[in-house]
Amino acid sequence: MRRTVILPTAAVLVGLLTACATPLLTPDDRKQVCQVVVEDKLGLPVFAPNVLSSPVGGLTGAGLGALAGLAYVPIIVAIFTVPIGAAIGAAGGCACAVASLAHPTADADFVSVLRAADVGVLARTVEAEFNAPRDECGQARADRASAADPDGVIEIEKVRVGMGCMLGQMEYWIAVDWHTTNLRSKKELNSTLTRCAFTSIRNVDDWFADRDRAQQEIERVLAATGRHMVLQLLAEDVVRVECRLQSNEAGEIKAR
């Protein structure tokens, strides 16, 4: 008898991997590492251009759509879904490419705003949020009241920033590669990627028209990304919630 082997979908694989995942810090780690210093020696974030915002955006979108159709379904179903995914991806890619023609200097303009922003707010937020008082560190802090040195270091290895398509509301994302080390035991506690996707309340034209407000917004999104990093680090369970942010009329950054 011939058996048909159906490969597990990506969603199932992700579920299995998540079920086996562990928090970034163990209970003992959270008690031992109560005061950290954040090291960020990389300077400016790296800008990642949107591959769809180019003359070949349609072709790129088709390829990405086909891969998406292949990744989330069994092989037998992919025969039918890959062409559909490619068609949808091509349409989206073409729309993205066409929109970019109306903003030919968008990448350079975004990088200019990014360079003007105070990117150090990311590291300062992580340090302040992590070092805030918490119950499990009460006695540990008292025992080390006279100690000047931190007992952990969070090193930000890389920060990347990229834009969405030049359609509708302004969208961009921030990705941070970072790790934490216990300075007393020299043990690396985690090595993690945190990625936050952001949607501005302003459309693309309005966003680029007000550079000062755009700069302030980027700084606030960097701070929100830092808070999510600490949420991941101090969570007693695995943080499964995707980091999706948005702004309101007051300029506040909220979870979406």
Side-chain angles (χ1 to χ4, degrees):
M1 177 184 297
R2 177 182 296 177
R3 292 186 178 181
T4 302
V5 178
I6 303 297
L7 296 179
T9 65
V12 172
L13 291 175
V14 170
L16 291 174
L17 292 174
T18 302
C20 298
T22 58
L24 296 184
L25 296 185
T26 67
D28 285 343
D29 289 335
R30 290 197 297 273
K31 292 178 181 178
Q32 293 174 13
V33 180
C34 291
Q35 192 81 14
V36 299
V37 61
V38 179
E39 294 185 355
D40 178 9
K41 303 176 182 179
L42 298 174
L44 294 174
V46 176
F47 176 69
N50 188 339
V51 295
L52 297 180
S53 294
S54 69
V56 296
L59 293 175
T60 305
L64 293 175
L67 288 175
L70 182 61
Y72 289 97
V73 296
I75 295 298
I76 188 67
V77 181
I79 296 174
F80 303 100
T81 59
V82 166
I84 296 174
I88 295 174
C94 286
C96 193
V98 170
S100 69
L101 297 178
H103 303 85
T105 63
D107 284 359
D109 293 341
F110 185 87
V111 170
S112 178
V113 175
L114 183 62
R115 289 181 182 277
D118 177 13
V119 297
V121 69
L122 172 67
R124 294 196 300 273
T125 300
V126 171
E127 191 168 299
E129 291 284 326
F130 187 93
N131 292 339
R134 60 183 193 273
D135 292 341
E136 59 199 347
C137 283
Q139 187 58 46
R141 288 183 191 276
D143 292 342
R144 297 196 306 274
S146 60
D149 296 333
D151 42 24
V153 58
I154 296 174
E155 184 174 347
I156 298 176
E157 302 169 357
K158 182 187 298 183
V159 179
R160 288 161 288 151
V161 183
M163 289 189 293
C165 294
M166 299 290 97
L167 294 165
Q169 291 172 280
M170 181 67 177
E171 295 183 332
Y172 51 92
W173 52 266
I174 295 175
V176 185
D177 292 285
W178 57 286
H179 69 266
T180 308
T181 303
N182 184 324
L183 289 177
R184 302 179 188 280
S185 66
K186 306 304 180 184
K187 173 187 174 184
E188 184 177 275
L189 305 179
N190 73 286
S191 183
T192 310
L193 167 66
T194 298
R195 187 182 189 278
C196 290
F198 173 73
T199 301
S200 175
I201 195 170
R202 292 177 294 155
N203 64 38
V204 172
D205 291 332
D206 291 343
W207 195 92
F208 282 106
D210 191 339
R211 290 175 54 91
D212 289 341
R213 186 173 177 182
Q215 175 183 328
Q216 294 173 1
E217 182 188 85
I218 287 177
E219 292 169 355
R220 289 170 179 170
V221 177
L222 284 165
T225 302
R227 288 192 290 272
H228 191 79
M229 290 166 59
V230 176
L231 174 65
Q232 289 179 284
L233 195 57
L234 295 181
E236 296 182 4
D237 195 1
V238 178
V239 177
R240 298 182 177 87
V241 179
E242 184 180 4
C243 182
R244 297 175 66 84
L245 307 169
Q246 63 184 6
S247 60
N248 58 23
E249 287 288 354
E252 299 170 319
I253 308 301
K254 303 289 187 180
R256 178 158 59 94

